[in-house]
């Protein structure tokens, strides 16, 4: 599903090494928050524009879903590149 999103100021990495470093930072942050998320009051929620009211555990679990979404998109792109003889 494609959601309408406002433009942002994200700067794309310029090399594979930058991508790897960024992913390593994400893994470090996830490891930290894994220990913290269960301490949050589950009754405290913030509204997500698509999924409704979510607590800290819900938001944290969305990270995996979001990552799988991007991996599926990458697999489709890789397939298209292979079909075109680019990869």
């Amino acid at each position: 599903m494609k959601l309408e999103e406002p433009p942002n100021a994200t700067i794309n990495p310029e090399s594979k090494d930058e991508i790897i470093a960024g992913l390593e930072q994400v893994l470090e942050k996830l490891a930290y928050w894994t220990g913290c998320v269960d301490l949050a009051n589950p009754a405290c929620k913030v509204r997500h524009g698509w999924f409704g009211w979510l607590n800290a555990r819900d938001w944290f679990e969305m990270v995996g879903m979001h990552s799988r979404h991007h991996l599926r998109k990458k697999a489709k792109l890789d397939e298209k590149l292979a079909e075109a003889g680019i990869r």
Side-chain angles (χ1 to χ4, degrees):
M1 96 183 60
K2 176 109 170 108
L3 304 177
E4 292 297 320
E5 298 177 9
N8 63 47
T10 301
I11 298 171
N12 289 328
E14 294 188 20
S15 70
K16 186 175 179 178
D17 289 337
E18 283 185 40
I19 294 170
I20 291 169
L23 289 172
E24 287 172 352
Q25 287 179 343
V26 168
L27 292 175
E28 288 173 12
K29 289 178 183 181
L30 285 173
Y32 170 79
W33 286 108
T34 297
C36 299
V37 71
D38 289 326
L39 301 175
N41 182 342
C44 295
K45 298 182 178 188
V46 175
R47 188 171 187 276
H48 182 282
W50 188 263
F51 297 105
W53 293 95
L54 305 175
N55 63 28
R57 168 59 52 197
D58 298 329
W59 280 97
F60 190 75
E61 289 176 3
M62 296 268 290
V63 172
M65 184 174 74
H66 187 85
S67 297
R68 287 187 300 276
H69 165 74
H70 282 281
L71 290 172
R72 282 191 305 272
K73 288 176 70 172
K74 181 188 179 302
K76 287 182 183 180
L77 288 171
D78 288 343
E79 183 180 313
K80 295 291 182 186
L81 288 170
E83 288 172 4
I86 297 173
R87 204 162 188 207

